[in-house]
Amino acid sequence: MKKVVFITGATSGFGRAAARKFASEGWALVITGRREDRLQALQAELVETVPVFYKTLDVRNQADVQQLVEGLPDPFNEVACLINNAGLALSPKPAQETELADWHTMIDTNITGLVNMTHALLPSLIKVGEGASIINVGSIAGQWPYPGSHVYGASKAFVQQFSYNLRCDLLGTGVRVTDLAPGIAETEFTLVRTGGDQQASDALYANTQALSAEDIANAMYYIATLPPHICINHMEVMPTRQAWSPFAIHRE
């Protein structure tokens, strides 16, 4: 029986790359996201290689999450790896200039959605036991503050602490938990964050070499396939061309 990986936010970026990576290694897939056309296209691309089950899903809706998990057919109902990838950033402006609705959207997606998904799949992961993995996609923003990060960075700090605390609770079950925290990566992330501003997205990635979605997918696969006695608690991944800056100082 093939191992099953459940991927949220599989319609683009890290999630889509992860689906392709795990499929290439023979894992069965459960892929979810909010754009059905993209899920259908990804299933059509991969289904000749491995079993693929897809379902449109907004992880913010707890009832829909629970219904999906409880209704997973064989062989998709024994999930060995959960990749909590669904998430977003909005309003890269100072906190005092942002809309409260954008803050709520980030909290509801990055925190509530991740919690909904994790709680629903814990029974399956614990049943699989030794070697099962939860990979929560955090961010360097959860560790290192910067202007315009406000609620996004705070939500990713939650992801880190939730991962650590979940790891404590799951001690003895064999289930591993990892906070995977990427740095700058060239995906649709910035387009979403800027409300579709292609020029802003292009400018961010110009004349440098960011991480790719495939880089992070490879890291996910590495984490999920380590020997069962090894758990990576936190993996922070930056491109070589990204580093920290000095503290900002306001001067009169």
Side-chain angles (χ1 to χ4, degrees):
M1 178 178 171
K2 296 180 185 295
K3 286 188 175 182
V4 179
V5 58
F6 191 118
I7 306 170
T8 68
T11 55
S12 65
F14 301 155
R16 183 165 59 189
R20 289 169 173 159
K21 174 62 179 178
F22 278 77
S24 73
E25 300 292 344
W27 286 57
L29 306 176
V30 179
I31 52 174
T32 69
R34 292 188 292 174
R35 290 173 282 190
E36 185 167 12
D37 57 335
R38 291 196 178 191
L39 290 174
Q40 288 177 336
L42 190 58
Q43 183 198 42
E45 174 189 336
L46 301 176
V47 73
E48 293 185 6
T49 305
V50 294
V52 181
F53 179 91
Y54 84 86
K55 181 72 173 178
T56 55
L57 180 69
D58 186 338
V59 294
R60 297 176 295 181
N61 189 313
Q62 187 270 336
D64 287 352
V65 168
Q66 195 65 41
Q67 182 180 36
L68 169 59
V69 170
E70 290 177 355
L72 286 173
D74 291 331
F76 302 103
N77 54 4
E78 289 195 13
V79 175
C81 179
L82 167 61
I83 299 179
N84 275 317
N85 170 70
L88 79 169
L90 298 170
S91 298
K93 300 177 291 186
Q96 62 271 28
E97 298 175 14
T98 63
E99 297 291 335
L100 181 59
D102 288 337
W103 283 7
H104 281 288
T105 298
M106 287 185 279
I107 292 167
D108 292 344
T109 306
N110 299 353
I111 296 177
T112 304
L114 180 143
V115 167
N116 288 343
M117 204 71 254
T118 303
H119 190 269
L121 276 172
L122 276 176
S124 175
L125 292 157
I126 292 171
K127 181 179 179 181
V128 171
E130 191 174 73
S133 302
I134 299 171
I135 301 173
N136 293 326
V137 178
S139 170
I140 60 169
Q143 183 75 24
W144 309 106
Y146 61 88
S149 183
H150 40 77
V151 167
Y152 174 69
S155 72
K156 292 304 184 177
F158 172 89
V159 172
Q160 179 175 325
Q161 281 302 313
F162 179 67
S163 299
Y164 291 172
N165 291 322
L166 189 61
R167 173 109 162 74
C168 293
D169 290 340
L170 292 174
L171 186 65
T173 67
V175 180
R176 306 172 292 190
V177 186
T178 301
D179 171 45
L180 174 58
I184 185 174
E186 189 167 359
T187 66
E188 293 178 23
F189 177 86
T190 301
L191 274 179
V192 173
R193 189 173 202 183
T194 59
D197 188 338
Q198 186 66 57
Q199 186 175 2
S201 179
D202 293 343
L204 179 64
Y205 305 119
N207 304 316
T208 191
Q209 185 175 8
L211 299 172
S212 68
E214 289 72 25
D215 293 331
I216 300 304
N218 288 337
M220 291 171 176
Y221 183 75
Y222 171 75
I223 292 166
T225 55
L226 284 168
H229 70 286
I230 300 175
C231 176
I232 295 180
N233 298 325
H234 174 77
M235 179 185 284
E236 185 176 288
V237 186
M238 284 185 182
T240 306
R241 294 189 179 191
Q242 182 182 26
W244 306 275
S245 294
F247 285 109
I249 301 173
H250 173 70
R251 304 181 190 277
E252 296 294 342

